[in-house]
Amino acid sequence: MSQTEREKQIIKMWASESKIDYRKNNMFKDVDTYFTTINTNGISVSEYDFNNIPQLEKLFNELWTIERDDSVPRICAIAAFKERIKYDDMKDMRNKDSDRVLPEFIYNM
Amino acid sequence: MYILGISALYHDSAAALIKDGEILAASQEERYTRIKHDKSFPINAIRYCMNYAKITEKDLEAVVYYDDPIFTIDRFLYNASAAEDCEEALNSAWESLFREKIWVSDLVKKTLGGFGRKGSLLYAKHHMSHAASAFYPSPFEKAAIITLDGVGEWNTTTIGEGNGNRVRLYKKIDYPNSLGLLYSAFTYFCGFRVNYGDYKLMGLAPYGIPRYYELIKDKLIDIKEDGSFRLNMEFFDFQNGKRMTNQKFAELFGGGEARNSNSDITKREMDMASSVQKVVEEVVIKLAKTASEITNQNDNLVMAGGVALNCVANGELVKNRIFKNIWIQPAAGDAGGALGAALLTYYDQFRKKRIVEKNDSQKGSFLGDGFEENEIEDFLKKHGFPYHKFTFNDAFFSEIARNLNEQKVIGLFEGRMEFGPRALGHRSIIADPRSAGMQSHLNKSIKYRESFRPFAPAVLEEDLDKYFEIGINNSYMLFCGKVKGGIDDGEYIQNYLESSNDLIPIINRKRSILPAITHVDNSARIQTVNYIQNPIFYNIIRTFKEKYSCGVVINTSFNVRGEPIVRSIDDAYRCFMETEMDVLVLENYILYKQEQPEWNCERSYYEPD
């Protein structure tokens, strides 16, 4: 079991019960455009740092657009800190060879 | 002011270094690790950039990553909610997001020791990075911008504008509606590897007819007049994180499974490729019209994002004359995001003045490793490999031209390595395009790849109109045009394919005076070569023309199937010896296969790509 299994299960429960309005067929013949407007507020490059779970949770809360339960940002922040790797040397920064090859059947998103 | 840009952890990891807005160095990690499209953190590419400029982290003003992982996690949560199989969707991306992407600053810090004077890592939005990579190096003071790819954070498509030192994006289309993912879905279903084989699908398209075009538009994608679109997710499976399409998609195209990569390519795949290619072209052209309207100009367009590497669609864009001038970032995929992020930071964030260069400021995209004469001679002497030393004079160029005329296949390794997926004469395999059998020979014995795949021509800029109908000079091989006086074999192919799936007789048909670079529909992906950007390659082609009356050569990347383009002298020699290449040019040293010592090939097969 991975060290973030609990967090994954919580997110899974949230996602499966999510009230996000989602339709498989979202094509509408009666609209003129699917474009939406970008509002960057003139910001092109972001600068942020986080050193603990509350800081990352705050960033998630500030920047995320998705509708979510209040607990989701905190759970994700916890998951991130639990998964964080302590790199002892440069070799650690490389994943196993098999992980470095891109997947065959799915776009890497 | 030095700024380092980094792209990593998705596709084609890369690093790029700029100084006061000038592009100094840029390189892809795959060239060092020899893992094609390597997505791992680009330690080697970063080292190369820093060593090239002889600087340390203390000299950097800023380090900028080309994507914002906070927003990618946002999209990931949406995806998990939307997926039919929530668990599968979570599992497919969980570790990558929470272990790597959100901690990219740790990777930077471990590699560099810090983040430059800024003190923390900067994050550019993915499509802003693409947009910046397209606009800032372009020769335009002002231009409309289109970015198109699979997905970056939330966005898949944007339209914007560059003006002076600013880039602004105005319109967007968000995930899961993605032209890149639509194309990847067809890539997958036609039996090519996603993330690797999109260009194969493009090469296959001319063998087919677009008989599914209306079906795709009716069922899979709704395209509005302004080029905006949505996918019908009833037919796709990529949200679950395992594969691109589902059973319903298969049924739409006559049922059965997606083609297995080892099985024969059938008429169905050819027609699917042709159909989706036509859809892509329609969207790109409509988007360009909208970009022209939004920016209220029709002078200049710049593009980036993986879809901008679709040179057939780009050629159609030229034909439609929506814009007078088009410039596309040669490293249009994620690698170029490293460059865009660095340039965006310098110009847009730090508000630095931009000086537009007449041609462009991409430096021919020759931004990677180069090797000195003494390094090459040391290598050859150390290993005892026989060579002939020349200077870059007429005798040298004549010797190469003579070998080309004698139907020899030549590995050309010269100058700094190209940044981006195309070999442009510095890490290229070149040959005579007049030979009808050369395409098959190169595919079978040199590149070890599928027989249907075409080769590209490199032509002297001044001879472009003599050989091709294209209407645009492009040093980066990003546009397709027609071969003058050639034959479109479309009708012949359709009749032929009624009775056979063997493509070799089609490939070997002589369609023009340059059969080896003339695709079955009489098209070619053309590279124009000028002396200023590419003097050695220019002189090779010029001499070939003067001595043998042909101002065009075949130019294909110096690698074999499944392997990245060669970077080092060692890579080049190894590739030379493990294929049926006849001649190797290492800068001003020429090596002949028959003079080389026996080589024990370490590879008995080549990885599929």
Side-chain angles (χ1 to χ4, degrees), chain B residues 404-573:
Chain B
L404 285 171
N405 189 54
E406 288 177 2
Q407 305 305 294
K408 300 286 174 27
V409 177
I410 301 174
L412 179 59
F413 180 98
E414 182 268 315
R416 294 179 70 186
M417 182 177 63
E418 297 87 347
F419 181 53
R422 303 277 91 86
L424 302 169
H426 286 202
R427 300 290 185 277
S428 290
I429 295 171
I430 59 173
D432 186 345
R434 295 170 297 181
S435 159
M438 189 58 88
Q439 181 182 353
S440 293
H441 174 59
L442 282 174
N443 273 330
K444 190 180 166 198
S445 305
I446 312 288
K447 303 277 284 188
Y448 302 104
R449 65 183 204 182
E450 297 92 335
S451 59
F452 69 85
R453 291 172 60 186
F455 288 101
V459 60
L460 299 179
E461 205 167 273
E462 58 268 31
D463 287 340
L464 179 64
D465 293 338
K466 180 180 167 188
Y467 293 102
F468 302 103
E469 295 166 18
I470 182 169
I472 189 168
N473 269 334
N474 191 260
S475 315
Y476 304 116
M477 211 187 267
L478 288 165
F479 296 87
C480 276
K482 293 290 177 190
V483 181
K484 267 192 178 164
I487 301 162
D488 184 339
D489 260 346
E491 201 173 328
Y492 167 81
I493 293 168
Q494 299 318 312
N495 292 330
Y496 173 87
L497 290 172
E498 294 293 323
S499 56
S500 175
N501 276 341
D502 179 10
L503 298 178
I504 296 295
I506 297 175
I507 292 159
N508 287 341
R509 257 170 71 90
K510 191 169 179 176
R511 278 175 286 277
S512 78
I513 58 165
L514 304 170
I517 55 87
T518 308
H519 205 11
V520 291
D521 60 347
N522 191 37
S523 70
R525 186 179 67 194
I526 302 153
Q527 177 195 7
T528 54
V529 181
N530 64 60
Y531 181 80
I532 303 293
Q533 277 181 328
N534 210 346
I536 303 296
F537 197 32
Y538 178 90
N539 275 327
I540 289 170
I541 305 172
R542 178 188 58 78
T543 308
F544 188 51
K545 176 188 165 188
E546 285 172 3
K547 291 194 174 289
Y548 304 105
S549 308
C550 181
V552 182
V553 298
I554 295 172
N555 178 11
T556 184
S557 53
F558 196 157
N559 63 338
V560 295
R561 184 181 184 179
E563 197 180 77
I565 295 174
V566 299
R567 180 192 67 86
S568 66
I569 307 163
D570 187 61
D571 297 338
Y573 188 83

Side-chain angles (χ1 to χ4, degrees), chain B residues 251-391:
Chain B
E251 284 161 12
L252 205 57
F253 297 99
E257 297 294 313
R259 174 184 158 259
N260 182 298
S261 58
N262 295 320
S263 62
D264 284 345
I265 296 169
T266 68
K267 191 78 178 62
R268 176 170 82 160
E269 285 81 50
M270 295 172 196
D271 291 345
M272 287 179 76
S274 173
S275 305
V276 75
Q277 178 62 36
K278 191 173 173 184
V279 169
V280 167
E281 289 165 20
E282 179 179 330
V283 173
V284 169
I285 287 161
K286 284 181 170 170
L287 287 173
K289 285 177 182 164
T290 301
S292 174
E293 284 167 19
I294 288 174
T295 59
N296 198 28
Q297 57 112 351
N298 60 1
D299 287 333
N300 306 318
L301 171 69
V302 298
M303 289 174 47
V307 180
L309 291 170
N310 190 310
C311 56
V312 181
N314 298 343
E316 289 299 310
L317 204 51
V318 173
K319 265 201 272 182
N320 275 267
R321 297 181 186 280
I322 301 158
F323 287 90
K324 290 176 192 157
N325 309 298
I326 303 173
W327 195 88
I328 296 171
Q329 165 57 237
D334 276 12
L339 179 59
L343 293 167
L344 184 72
T345 304
Y346 181 75
Y347 289 116
D348 205 284
Q349 181 79 356
F350 295 158
R351 307 284 170 94
K352 297 294 183 185
K353 185 173 168 55
R354 172 172 174 251
I355 296 164
V356 177
E357 295 199 16
K358 188 184 160 204
N359 291 315
D360 64 39
S361 49
Q362 185 79 15
K363 296 183 174 176
S365 221
F366 303 122
L367 301 165
D369 300 71
F371 294 86
E372 300 295 329
E373 186 178 320
N374 65 310
E375 291 178 274
I376 290 169
E377 193 159 320
D378 287 351
F379 170 86
L380 296 173
K381 281 182 174 166
K382 179 183 163 192
H383 294 285
F385 299 146
Y387 61 86
H388 300 263
K389 186 175 181 180
F390 290 76
T391 52

Side-chain angles (χ1 to χ4, degrees), chain A residues 8-20:
Chain A
K8 202 186 285 182
Q9 288 307 318
I10 295 170
I11 296 295
K12 184 188 160 191
M13 195 176 298
W14 164 78
S16 56
E17 293 171 359
S18 167
K19 299 285 189 293
I20 292 175

Side-chain angles (χ1 to χ4, degrees), chain A residues 22 33-34 48 94-95 108, chain B residues 10 29 40 68 222 226 239:
Chain A
Y22 178 72
T33 185
Y34 294 126
Y48 54 76
R94 299 276 181 206
N95 293 329
N108 185 33
Chain B
Y10 293 87
E29 186 69 2
S40 62
D68 193 329
D222 183 30
D226 63 2
Q239 287 191 309

Side-chain angles (χ1 to χ4, degrees), chain A residues 7-8 10-12 14-16 18 20 60 64-69 71-77, chain B residues 70-83 86 89-90 93-94 97-98 154 175 239:
Chain A
E7 286 74 21
K8 202 186 285 182
I10 295 170
I11 296 295
K12 184 188 160 191
W14 164 78
S16 56
S18 167
I20 292 175
F60 287 155
W64 280 356
T65 58
I66 191 171
E67 289 175 38
R68 59 196 181 263
D69 289 353
S71 63
V72 173
R74 181 160 183 81
I75 296 299
C76 286
Chain B
I70 300 271
F71 291 96
T72 304
I73 295 177
D74 191 28
R75 191 240 306 155
F76 161 76
L77 291 170
Y78 159 84
N79 200 57
S81 307
C86 172
L90 282 171
W94 184 271
L97 278 171
F98 292 115
W154 276 98
Y175 178 86
Q239 287 191 309

